[in-house]
Amino acid sequence: MSTATIASQQDTPSLKARILGTPSVGPLLVLVGFCVIFALTNPRFLATQNISIILQQTVIIGTLAIGQTLVILTAGIDLAVGAICVLGTIVAGKLVNLGYDPVLSMGIAVLLCTGAGLAAGSLIAGLRLPPFIVTLGILGILTAALRLISEGGAFPVRDPFLAWTGNTMKVGGFVLTYGILIMLALYGFVWYLLNQTKWGRHVYAIGNNPEAARLVGIPVRRHLLSVYLLAGFIYGVAAWLALGRIPNADPNAMQTANLDSITAVVIGGTSLFGGRGGLIGTLIGALIVGVLRNGLTLAGIDPLWQDLVTGILVIIAVALDQMSRRRS
Amino acid sequence: MSADSLTRVAPDATSRVVLEARNVVKTYGHVTALDGVDFELRAGEILAVVGDNGAGKSTLIKALTGAVHPTSGEILLDGAPVHFKGPLDARHAGIETVYQDLAMAPALDIASNLFLGRELRCQGVLGSVFRRLDKKRMREEARRAMSELKFRLPSIGNAVEALSGGQRQGVAVARAALFARKLVIMDEPTAALGVRETGQVLELIRSIRERGLPVVLISHNMPNVFEIADRIHVMRLGRRAAVVTPQSHSMNDVVAIMTGAAAA
């Protein structure tokens, strides 16, 4: 038997192997499992209205988690997720309230968020500082600066364009907000980047083995910069989605967004050590958290249990990742 | 110094010189790593570079691949002087290096690793506008390269981390062979491998030579060197102490030259 035939015979893995080999299968089973449990215990859970609510509640963290996934895939971590998003809501809200054109205001806000991502990326890639420290610093700086700008308090933002992402449309009985569609479009776009382009390949390669990436000629620093830049842009879009959900710019909002987005990424099966995982898992991870919160609330269980169960899931997810890494 | 007279006794001494170093010196402060070393790689040969620790093997290789810049001296590729700013320059010039740590992304599959940094895009609008990777063509090319080199792998879609050490080495060597236009440099390709796997990798190195690419092999493993090399470049104290052949000298002779116990 020649080597060529051996290669071609085993080249296309069986369907079973392919399904089991897909990293997001585990999280998907968990999601389906929770849905089944909640549906059996409460008939209201599967009502189209309730599903719409779950999706709407998932929009902001789900979107922020896209950027967080990109950063974590490069073996980094982003603690400034929430702060950059709040930067977007405050800037857009301030400008609109000062009478500027809403599209221009939102554009400037998204641009500033992208700039914040660029700043983080420059420090991480340029000065080779650890992502944890850089984004922790940016979190502190932005949080303080935003409270100073808004004089400590939240303020209402009443503008139809900024609130547009909260508008709804009906798709076959489901009430979807435009925000949900924008989130899904972002997932599709970034999924394509990660899985179908050189750029995405290199994100994985850098997270996996930065030295190898450098040796094969990938411009590692420039690539890291582009990752943080894109993440910042996504946080800016998330700010628009946030204003659509709650027309209020609050410097004290999103304090748990950092950990929530990391939770979604980790539960979705992306490794905190970089280079493994993907965006579909993150979407599932964000939905798991959303379903869990909603289902437990519907069941009338103390909200503290939600955090407890989420915490257990995070630890299980990381333990599974560690075990699979040790095996290989 | 009799090094030059020794190269003349080599069996293929008439072949064209592909890569050459002339009187290369590299100093770090007052430490001299290379002390006027000469080097010649000829077309179609496997040239082993041996030497004791600190004899200047790795500095020589780094100088040849642009990873370090010589303090003085000349490096010529196909007879023309070259000044590589870095390893990438050397790669663009057609010199591929297999590093000791293999430079692989373990979680990515074999095809992805073969094309890492040199991914192929789809033809037409899909590639030019949508920048879409041509995964199918990369898999096919990878499969073709592996079967051309007669190297067996479980599946081109496997993650590299699922492979044995020898198979990983095979992928790294195949990558170099796939892209090298002038020559391939290998740093200790059989260190850390078992007997059978070592045999497979040596076979792979021979098939690269059969494809017409000369190979520079840095190795500590004398039996391997004597099994596979056409000529042996012996480093000692930052210089070329001798160039011998497995026919003209025994392993003991070479070790004696390496350690200075015998003159070349």
Side-chain angles (χ1 to χ4, degrees), chain A residues 205-258:
Chain A
I206 290 170
N208 225 232
N209 187 348
E211 179 60 13
R214 193 185 61 79
L215 285 173
V216 299
I218 297 171
V220 175
R221 293 187 190 197
R222 216 171 64 206
H223 212 75
L224 276 178
L225 201 65
S226 72
V227 166
Y228 283 90
L229 186 92
L230 178 58
F233 171 79
I234 292 168
Y235 306 148
V237 175
W240 190 24
L241 307 186
L243 286 172
R245 252 187 82 63
I246 304 162
N248 201 30
D250 182 358
N252 300 309
M254 302 219 193
Q255 303 217 349
T256 62
N258 298 324

Side-chain angles (χ1 to χ4, degrees), chain B residues 20 23 48 89 113 119 142 147 152 189 215 234 240 249 252 258:
Chain B
E20 188 177 0
N23 198 22
D89 270 5
N113 268 292
E119 289 82 357
S147 67
R152 291 184 177 204
V215 176
V234 188
R240 175 166 70 180
H249 287 67
N252 284 338
M258 266 167 62

Side-chain angles (χ1 to χ4, degrees), chain A residues 5-30:
Chain A
T5 56
I6 289 173
S8 57
Q9 267 171 13
Q10 300 180 354
D11 201 57
T12 332
S14 70
L15 190 64
K16 190 180 148 206
R18 263 161 69 184
I19 290 171
L20 290 177
T22 310
S24 41
V25 165
L28 187 63
L29 290 177
V30 172

Side-chain angles (χ1 to χ4, degrees), chain B residues 79-94:
Chain B
V82 284
H83 301 280
F84 299 134
K85 289 201 190 71
L88 264 190
D89 270 5
R91 259 178 66 176
H92 290 314

Side-chain angles (χ1 to χ4, degrees), chain B residues 159-214:
Chain B
V160 162
E161 64 197 348
L163 303 178
S164 70
Q167 288 170 330
R168 282 183 211 199
Q169 189 74 51
V171 175
V173 173
R175 176 166 69 189
L178 185 60
F179 291 103
R181 295 189 316 280
K182 305 279 190 190
L183 62 117
V184 176
I185 296 176
M186 293 188 213
D187 191 2
E188 299 282 359
T190 57
L193 292 189
V195 174
R196 201 173 62 90
E197 295 193 312
T198 298
Q200 288 172 341
V201 169
L202 293 184
E203 207 43 57
L204 210 47
I205 298 172
R206 280 197 196 96
S207 31
I208 293 180
R209 177 180 57 184
E210 276 160 32
R211 298 176 83 194
L213 285 171

